[in-house]
Amino acid sequence: MSGGGTETPEVCEAAPGGGGGGSKKKDSLGAAGSPAHLIIKDLGEIHSRLLDHRPVIQGETRYFVKEFEEKRGLREMRVLENLKNMIHETNEHTLPTCRETMQDNLNQVLQRLQAATDSVCRLQQREQERKKTTSDVEPSLLNVEAELLCTGDDGLHLAHCL
């Protein structure tokens, strides 16, 4: 068929009568080289070639498996080669580009973070200075407020003076 190998099928000698008592009939047919014996031998060969397809099927199966393994191996080699190329491209081009971009953006983020930290520090200092100046004024305001609460006056005339 398709290069499945050359296997010779087993020759099956069939004795007429089939059963276990074939030796008696074989002896009656004559010697091993007799025409009847050769015909029986040929019939056995024809039978095995026509009806016993095992050697052909085995050869075809081996051929199919061999072709499949070769094609599969080639396909897997192509896939591995593509993966190798992608990894090389990533390592040589994409990774350095990403690293540079990340480094630039990280520097910008760090500068902004430093500016925000400086602003927060300035705001905290101003708040502390405001608290310090109001703490000096607070005791006198607390005294005025306490007097207003005791007298029941709304203190609008005092608030106007301040």
Side-chain angles (χ1 to χ4, degrees):
M1 285 199 177
S2 59
T6 57
E7 292 191 22
T8 56
E10 296 179 16
V11 177
C12 178
E13 293 186 17
S23 63
K24 185 177 178 184
K25 288 198 175 189
K26 195 174 189 181
D27 292 339
S28 67
L29 289 176
S34 71
H37 182 68
L38 292 174
I39 291 173
I40 291 173
K41 185 177 177 185
D42 287 342
L43 284 175
E45 272 186 48
I46 291 170
H47 175 269
S48 67
R49 287 180 186 236
L50 289 176
L51 301 175
D52 188 13
H53 301 294
R54 284 178 288 178
V56 175
I57 291 172
Q58 289 171 351
E60 287 295 319
T61 304
R62 275 191 236 108
Y63 176 76
F64 176 77
V65 168
K66 179 180 154 191
E67 287 293 314
F68 178 75
E69 286 176 349
E70 286 176 3
K71 289 179 182 175
R72 180 178 177 199
L74 291 175
R75 184 176 60 237
E76 288 179 359
M77 288 296 291
R78 282 192 302 265
V79 167
L80 290 174
E81 185 69 27
N82 288 341
L83 286 173
K84 178 185 160 200
N85 290 339
M86 286 175 52
I87 289 171
H88 179 71
E89 167 101 16
T90 301
N91 285 339
E92 295 296 319
H93 302 291
T94 308
L95 192 59
T97 304
C98 288
R99 188 176 291 141
E100 289 171 12
T101 304
M102 183 187 70
Q103 198 69 351
D104 292 342
N105 289 339
L106 186 60
N107 286 335
Q108 290 175 359
V109 167
L110 288 175
Q111 289 172 355
R112 289 180 183 174
L113 183 61
Q114 185 63 38
T117 304
D118 293 342
S119 296
V120 168
C121 286
R122 283 193 305 268
L123 285 173
Q124 284 178 338
Q125 288 175 352
R126 287 181 193 160
E127 183 67 23
Q128 287 175 352
E129 289 173 5
R130 189 186 63 78
K131 281 185 179 181
K132 186 178 179 183
T133 58
T134 56
S135 66
D136 295 340
V137 174
E138 267 185 33
S140 62
L141 287 178
L142 288 176
N143 291 336
V144 171
E145 187 177 329
E147 288 177 19
L148 291 175
L149 286 175
C150 290
T151 60
D153 193 9
D154 61 356
L156 287 178
H157 65 282
L158 291 176
H160 184 61
C161 294
L162 291 177

